[in-house]
Amino acid sequence: MTEHKKETALTITVIIPAYKPGEPFRKLIRRLMRQTVLPDRILIINTEEPYFHSEDVEGIQNCRVIHISREEFDHGGTRDMAVRMCDTDLVLCMTMDAVPADARLLEELRKAFADSRVWAAYARQLPAPDCSPLERYARHFNYGEKSRIKTEKDLEELGIKTFFCSNVCAAYRRDMYLKLGGFETRTIFNEDMIFAGKVILAGGAVAYCAEARVIHSHNYSGIMQFKRNFDLGVSQADHPEIFEMAKSEKEGMRMVGQTAVWLLKGGRLLWIPRLIWQSGCKLAGYRLGKAYRRLPSWIIRRCSMNLPYWTRKQE
């Protein structure tokens, strides 16, 4: 009981990068303010200032909005800047379209840090009502119903999933975050898994909290999957110290196989061609991304989802 009281005293800042925020962002803010554990601070890093409506956060105490240009935004660097502006025990990174599924999101995430080994904890992502069957199963595959604490001992069993963590909704001990150097300040993608790798290799643990739930999914086309996985491959090529320890392809093939079985059992035969197409796009994008250093710059720009990154990389 004493330990529980100590852990529930942990303060928390919610960090939300925003770009042309719409109704999901407004719903996120409303539900954050109805949590059983309220955030001590909210820090919003907004790009494209004219599109941000101050009334969306009007009247919320300890909410700060910082405006940057789209060219300044970096998946790792922007979040790292925000974390270093905080002074709370925990920082919770969320995307602007991650909507808390209930009022216990912060409460459940904070519980994970009762275990002193846990330096990072991420939430379960549930599919939105309008998401496709492929995306719905992907959420089930990557975010199961059972919580788990992952350490270096799990590498043999879990492989690449040992490092899995998602800044769609992930919390970090700020003191350990700073001690480990934080997110990569220039990264195209995957800053969350790269940092989770640092946590694991430094002897810490990453907690998956199935009881902490957000609604978050995308209906990406095959081309968008290609571009997203290209950026994923680039991030892995740039950080072999993490990703050479466990390969992604095996886990990807396992998901494709299980998705196909699920579609067949559910009588969703018309989705099989789309599964094949999207899986091919993912694999092609990933492999090209891994080999990006051998590609001319014009091809890289055609393949990537994050064009500003390549402009900054040349500076």
Side-chain angles (χ1 to χ4, degrees), residues 21 28 39 45 157-158 174 184 186 200 213 235 250 298 310 315:
L28 160 61
I45 310 296
E157 176 193 351
L158 298 179
R174 186 173 177 274
E184 297 297 311
R186 280 201 175 190
I200 295 292
R213 305 178 305 154
S235 73
K250 184 178 179 181
W298 68 270
W310 300 103
E315 293 174 353

Side-chain angles (χ1 to χ4, degrees), residues 124-135:
R124 183 182 183 189
Q125 295 182 32
L126 302 175
D130 64 345
C131 82
S132 72
L134 299 184
E135 178 71 4

Side-chain angles (χ1 to χ4, degrees), residues 237-249:
D238 283 346
H239 294 279
E241 75 280 5
I242 302 296
F243 296 105
E244 288 301 313
M245 298 183 64
K247 305 296 184 182
S248 296
E249 289 94 332

Side-chain angles (χ1 to χ4, degrees), residues 58-108:
E58 189 175 2
I60 299 177
Q61 294 184 345
N62 294 324
C63 179
R64 182 180 180 188
V65 182
I66 297 173
H67 300 284
I68 63 173
S69 69
R70 189 178 180 189
E71 290 71 27
E72 290 177 286
F73 177 80
D74 182 278
H75 280 279
T78 300
R79 289 178 171 92
D80 181 74
M81 174 190 72
V83 173
R84 294 176 189 276
M85 295 173 66
C86 302
D87 59 2
T88 48
D89 302 308
L90 304 176
V91 290
L92 171 58
C93 292
M94 298 186 72
T95 55
M96 67 177 186
D97 57 351
V99 179
D102 55 41
R104 294 172 51 226
L105 175 66
L106 271 66
E107 176 186 349
E108 295 295 343

Side-chain angles (χ1 to χ4, degrees), residues 33-304:
M33 302 317 297
R34 297 172 187 163
Q35 293 289 302
T36 55
V37 171
L38 292 173
D40 295 275
R41 295 174 184 81
I42 298 175
L43 178 57
I44 299 166
I45 310 296
N46 177 64
T47 57
E48 302 290 344
E49 182 173 357
Y51 297 98
F52 189 85
H53 303 288
S54 58
E55 58 266 27
D56 291 343
V57 295
E58 189 175 2
I60 299 177
Q61 294 184 345
N62 294 324
C63 179
R64 182 180 180 188
V65 182
I66 297 173
H67 300 284
I68 63 173
S69 69
R70 189 178 180 189
E71 290 71 27
E72 290 177 286
F73 177 80
D74 182 278
H75 280 279
T78 300
R79 289 178 171 92
D80 181 74
M81 174 190 72
V83 173
R84 294 176 189 276
M85 295 173 66
C86 302
D87 59 2
T88 48
D89 302 308
L90 304 176
V91 290
L92 171 58
C93 292
M94 298 186 72
T95 55
M96 67 177 186
D97 57 351
V99 179
D102 55 41
R104 294 172 51 226
L105 175 66
L106 271 66
E107 176 186 349
E108 295 295 343
L109 277 172
R110 198 165 66 172
K111 282 181 183 179
F113 294 94
D115 186 330
S116 61
R117 298 175 301 165
V118 173
W119 301 344
Y122 65 101
R124 183 182 183 189
Q125 295 182 32
L126 302 175
D130 64 345
C131 82
S132 72
L134 299 184
E135 178 71 4
R136 186 172 298 277
Y137 190 81
R139 286 290 171 267
H140 169 75
F141 182 87
N142 288 320
Y143 302 95
E145 297 178 356
K146 187 176 180 181
S147 297
R148 179 163 187 166
I149 294 178
K150 301 178 292 185
T151 68
E152 192 170 5
K153 295 179 181 179
D154 295 304
L155 268 169
E156 184 174 350
E157 176 193 351
L158 298 179
I160 193 69
K161 274 201 165 181
T162 310
F163 303 136
F164 191 77
C165 183
S166 175
N167 272 344
V168 165
C169 186
Y172 304 90
R173 288 190 192 272
R174 186 173 177 274
D175 57 350
M176 297 308 301
Y177 174 92
L178 296 175
K179 185 175 181 180
L180 293 178
F183 299 131
E184 297 297 311
T185 55
R186 280 201 175 190
T187 182
I188 191 168
F189 193 53
N190 239 11
E191 80 290 337
D192 36 25
M193 284 186 68
I194 295 166
F195 183 76
K198 292 181 183 180
V199 168
I200 295 292
L201 297 180
V206 175
Y208 168 55
C209 304
E211 296 80 17
R213 305 178 305 154
V214 293
I215 300 168
H216 178 265
S217 57
H218 294 288
N219 290 322
Y220 285 144
S221 67
I223 298 302
M224 292 175 71
Q225 295 282 16
F226 173 91
K227 288 175 174 285
R228 185 177 187 276
N229 277 50
F230 179 86
D231 291 351
L232 175 65
V234 169
S235 73
Q236 293 197 11
D238 283 346
H239 294 279
E241 75 280 5
I242 302 296
F243 296 105
E244 288 301 313
M245 298 183 64
K247 305 296 184 182
S248 296
E249 289 94 332
K250 184 178 179 181
E251 187 68 11
M253 293 305 296
R254 190 169 74 89
M255 186 173 79
V256 172
Q258 290 191 14
T259 304
V261 171
W262 179 75
L263 290 172
L264 289 169
K265 287 184 176 179
R268 300 179 177 90
L269 302 182
L270 295 178
W271 283 91
I272 296 292
R274 190 174 298 187
L275 171 65
I276 295 170
W277 161 246
Q278 290 201 359
S279 300
C281 289
K282 289 180 182 179
L283 182 60
Y286 172 75
R287 288 188 173 173
L288 273 177
K290 290 275 283 187
Y292 83 93
R293 292 187 181 90
R294 300 199 293 271
L295 301 176
S297 60
W298 68 270
I299 290 183
I300 289 174
R301 291 175 179 275
R302 290 284 186 91
C303 293
S304 178

